[in-house]
Amino acid sequence: MKFIKNNHKRLSRLTLIISIFILVCFICKNNVQAANNSIPFSVDLNVSAAENGKDVVSSLQILFILTLISLAPSILIMMTSFTRIIVVLHFVRSALATQQTPPNQVLIGLALFITLFIMSPVITDVNDSALKPYSDGEISQEEAIERGLKPVRDFMLKQVNDKDLKLFLDMADERNINNTEDIPTNVLIPAFIISELRAAFIIGFLIYIPFIVVDMVVASTLMSMGMMMLPPVMISLPFKLLLFILADGWNLVIGQLVKTFNF
């Protein structure tokens, strides 16, 4: 009986292999016939010398656009609220001492959606004042860039620290600044990034304080009990999580973090 079953399995495998072979041969035959009946074509890519100045300018414009597209995510992230949010979230995870929980993908995703929530008025303003008129052909490309940059500049100017702005203005040797519109964008962006990092570190310090108190209490208790060989982190971690849950930590941190932005 066992011999009959083995022969049956072998016969089934042989039949399957023969069927697959016939199917492959049939497909290859059809492809060859289609290739013989198709219209031949060729693709030719040539690199030749520019005949005039317009060709050089067009090539440089294409190179600039490709470079800008590759750097667009980084530029947009650094010019929005993303920097402060992601740094604060990493401080929260470090203060809890939960290693890689939540994972980086979760923190980055949460930071992106919070950034989208905060920047939604700015995005709407850019769309209404720049993208729609430019797509309708009402304004030129230069005017569209200028209009689209204005809401982003206004957002950065509300968040930037005067001390940081003065630092970069002095380094750029910009003296004739009468109003905020005279501030160059290449000065405003680094000043905004430093201001965001300062605000994030201040918030991170305030987040660390209650968890440091928990670590100190646990470490002192273990030393008084003579359990100095037991790592305090193992004991303090459940208490940190309990404190974070009782205080509704995520609601508290995210809510207060969003309120730190000036709208």
Side-chain angles (χ1 to χ4, degrees):
M1 189 68 179
K2 184 176 181 181
F3 177 76
I4 296 174
K5 288 183 178 179
N6 291 334
N7 287 338
H8 181 68
K9 290 182 179 178
R10 291 177 183 176
L11 182 61
S12 300
R13 292 175 183 175
L14 182 61
T15 305
L16 179 61
I17 293 172
I18 294 174
S19 301
I20 294 174
F21 178 75
I22 294 173
L23 180 62
V24 171
C25 292
F26 178 74
I27 293 174
C28 292
K29 181 180 179 181
N30 288 340
N31 288 337
V32 171
Q33 291 178 354
N36 293 331
N37 295 330
S38 62
I39 300 175
F41 66 93
S42 62
V43 178
D44 189 12
L45 297 176
N46 294 323
V47 178
S48 58
E51 297 181 356
N52 49 49
K54 291 184 178 180
D55 295 338
V56 178
V57 173
S58 300
S59 301
L60 292 177
Q61 286 179 347
I62 294 173
L63 179 62
F64 176 75
I65 291 173
L66 292 176
T67 305
L68 188 62
I69 291 174
S70 63
L71 296 177
S74 300
I75 294 173
L76 293 177
I77 285 174
M78 301 306 289
M79 294 171 61
T80 60
S81 58
F82 180 83
T83 302
R84 186 189 305 187
I85 295 170
I86 192 63
V87 173
V88 170
L89 292 180
H90 275 283
F91 272 125
V92 172
R93 188 175 67 181
S94 299
L96 287 171
T98 53
Q99 303 300 326
Q100 295 298 320
T101 304
N104 290 330
Q105 292 85 348
V106 175
L107 292 184
I108 293 174
L110 178 61
L112 286 173
F113 278 103
I114 296 175
T115 301
L116 183 63
F117 172 77
I118 294 174
M119 300 297 295
S120 57
V122 179
I123 296 173
T124 303
D125 197 0
V126 171
N127 184 50
D128 294 339
S129 60
L131 292 180
K132 284 185 177 180
Y134 178 70
S135 62
D136 295 337
E138 299 177 359
I139 57 177
S140 62
Q141 182 178 1
E142 292 77 9
E143 189 176 357
I145 294 174
E146 184 178 354
R147 288 188 181 184
L149 192 59
K150 188 178 183 305
V152 181
R153 281 176 53 90
D154 292 340
F155 173 80
M156 291 191 292
L157 285 169
K158 292 178 181 179
Q159 318 303 326
V160 72
N161 191 286
D162 293 338
K163 183 178 179 181
D164 298 328
L165 191 58
K166 184 177 183 302
L167 171 66
F168 282 94
L169 286 174
D170 293 339
M171 288 192 294
D173 197 19
E174 294 286 346
R175 305 296 180 183
N176 300 322
I177 303 296
N178 298 321
N179 51 50
T180 56
E181 295 181 356
D182 296 334
I183 300 175
T185 304
N186 61 339
V187 171
L188 178 59
I189 293 176
F192 168 76
I193 296 172
I194 290 182
S195 299
E196 290 295 287
L197 290 175
R198 174 187 281 109
F201 273 69
I202 292 174
I203 298 172
F205 170 75
L206 297 176
I207 290 173
Y208 256 96
I209 292 176
F211 299 110
I212 290 177
V213 173
V214 174
D215 285 334
M216 293 176 63
V217 170
V218 171
S220 300
T221 304
L222 292 177
M223 289 184 64
S224 63
M225 296 175 62
M227 304 173 65
M228 291 178 292
M229 300 300 295
L230 183 64
V233 178
M234 295 180 60
I235 308 300
S236 63
L237 179 58
F239 291 100
K240 288 181 180 180
L241 294 177
L242 180 62
L243 174 64
F244 196 72
I245 293 171
L246 293 177
D248 198 3
W250 290 115
N251 187 294
L252 183 63
V253 171
I254 299 302
Q256 296 301 318
L257 178 60
V258 173
K259 291 180 181 179
T260 58
F261 289 95
N262 298 319
F263 297 101

